[in-house]
Amino acid sequence: MSKVIALANQKGGVGKTTTAINLAASLAVLEKRVLLVDVDPQANATSGNGFDPKSIEKGIYENLIGETEPIDTIIKTEIEGLHLIPSSIDLVGAEIEMLDMENRETVLRRVLQKVRDNYDYVLIDCSPSLGMLTLNALTAADSVIIPVQCEYFALEGLGKLLNTIQMVQQNMNTDLQIEGFLLTMYDPRLRLANHVVAEVRQHFETMVFDTIIQRNTKLSEAPSYGTPVILYDAKSKGSLNYLNFARELLARNKAQDSSSNV
């Protein structure tokens, strides 16, 4: 059975798109069929997989406004088993155009329902806002991963995001779960980073993933080469962190499936 996971945090610069790209790549390397959906007008998940957003003729924008079927916008990436529905600057207009649509919060859900069963995991890279696109992603998702950077003001804005998630759970997607909080940009040498880790773990307890994504030069460089870090430098700390995260995610889901079948 497929699972749709949104990666969301309206705070920019927390490693959300980096996580979307590299978690998708790591799951594919671990032989899962993965679809990465770029629902951010900045289109960084698209360019981070080697595609020029300016040359995208058909992508998620055309899916959302009903011009094109999702099967016709899916493109293969360099990694076997990893496919992408790309984004482009056109997506900026989607938020406005969707305001007049019937059941506007469920447009993305209806799009993904047509293709989700072809994959084990569908990952949605959300825009850094709590607008109509993110609302659509949360309504379409089974769960949400929330990246939290190990820096000052880490918890700032999380209250708004959690309120939005709660509102979606109450009104539009009663099955939406928080998959977990992922600590990113961790530098073990900094006292502040360790303080943030302790604070987030104390606050959210078992909802925080064990895996922590460390600051890593190769991880920062990979997007400029249009490739996930696992292809750029498979032995780098960033690559190993995301592989471990993918394994932890798979283990958690396997455990949940087992308990639900008892």
Side-chain angles (χ1 to χ4, degrees):
M1 196 173 91
S2 67
K3 185 166 193 178
V4 179
I5 303 176
L7 291 101
N9 192 328
Q10 81 277 17
K11 199 169 184 291
V14 300
K16 176 184 55 59
T17 298
T18 298
T19 296
I21 292 170
N22 292 296
L23 174 59
S26 297
L27 286 169
V29 166
L30 295 171
E31 300 186 338
K32 297 298 177 184
R33 297 167 300 159
V34 184
L35 176 64
L36 177 58
V37 185
D38 191 350
V39 188
D40 185 349
Q42 296 177 70
N44 291 332
T46 299
S47 60
N49 273 290
F51 301 98
D52 180 3
K54 292 176 185 173
S55 66
I56 297 299
E57 294 179 4
K58 291 187 287 188
I60 192 64
Y61 169 74
E62 285 73 20
N63 295 159
L64 292 173
I65 64 170
E67 273 187 11
T68 313
E69 291 296 315
I71 195 73
D72 297 322
T73 59
I74 292 171
I75 49 181
K76 293 181 179 179
T77 71
E78 279 187 271
I79 296 179
E80 182 73 29
L82 173 57
H83 295 172
L84 170 75
I85 295 183
S87 178
S88 68
I89 194 66
D90 292 341
L91 195 58
V92 171
E95 298 242 17
I96 299 164
E97 292 177 56
M98 290 165 75
L99 290 174
D100 295 327
M101 291 183 183
E102 195 175 338
N103 299 319
R104 60 193 182 192
E105 297 89 359
T106 61
V107 178
L108 182 59
R109 179 198 281 172
R110 296 196 298 273
V111 167
L112 295 183
Q113 275 174 344
K114 298 176 181 179
V115 294
R116 66 174 285 170
D117 289 339
N118 298 332
Y119 299 93
D120 299 306
Y121 287 90
V122 177
L123 302 185
I124 308 172
D125 184 33
C126 298
S127 59
S129 73
L130 293 178
M132 185 57 65
L133 290 171
T134 297
L135 206 57
N136 261 264
L138 294 174
T139 304
D142 299 308
S143 65
V144 55
I145 290 173
I146 304 170
V148 180
Q149 84 280 31
C150 297
E151 293 177 0
Y152 199 59
F153 294 137
L155 297 179
E156 188 184 60
L158 275 185
K160 266 187 192 172
L161 175 61
L162 294 174
N163 285 340
T164 300
I165 290 171
Q166 190 173 29
M167 183 265 288
V168 170
Q169 288 169 326
Q170 289 171 349
N171 299 301
M172 288 164 282
N173 184 1
T174 54
D175 295 326
L176 180 66
Q177 302 287 323
I178 294 178
E179 190 79 37
F181 295 83
L182 176 68
L183 290 158
T184 63
M185 302 181 180
Y186 174 65
D187 186 339
R189 299 168 299 178
L190 300 179
R191 184 183 297 174
L192 174 64
N194 290 297
H195 175 72
V196 170
V197 170
E199 190 177 8
V200 173
R201 289 201 187 282
Q202 183 181 0
H203 204 77
F204 296 109
E205 300 176 338
T206 57
M207 294 173 74
V208 184
F209 288 102
D210 293 333
T211 306
I212 297 178
I213 308 301
Q214 298 189 32
R215 280 199 176 278
N216 178 247
T217 304
K218 301 294 185 185
L219 197 55
S220 303
E221 290 174 353
S224 64
Y225 289 89
T227 185
V229 70
I230 202 162
L231 291 183
Y232 181 62
D233 186 344
K235 294 180 180 177
S236 68
K237 193 165 284 185
S239 178
L240 297 174
N241 283 171
Y242 274 109
L243 266 175
N244 285 336
F245 177 46
R247 290 190 184 102
E248 182 180 356
L249 181 70
L250 292 174
R252 277 195 181 201
N253 279 276
K254 189 176 181 181
Q256 287 168 2
D257 290 344
S258 299
S259 62
S260 64
N261 290 332
V262 172

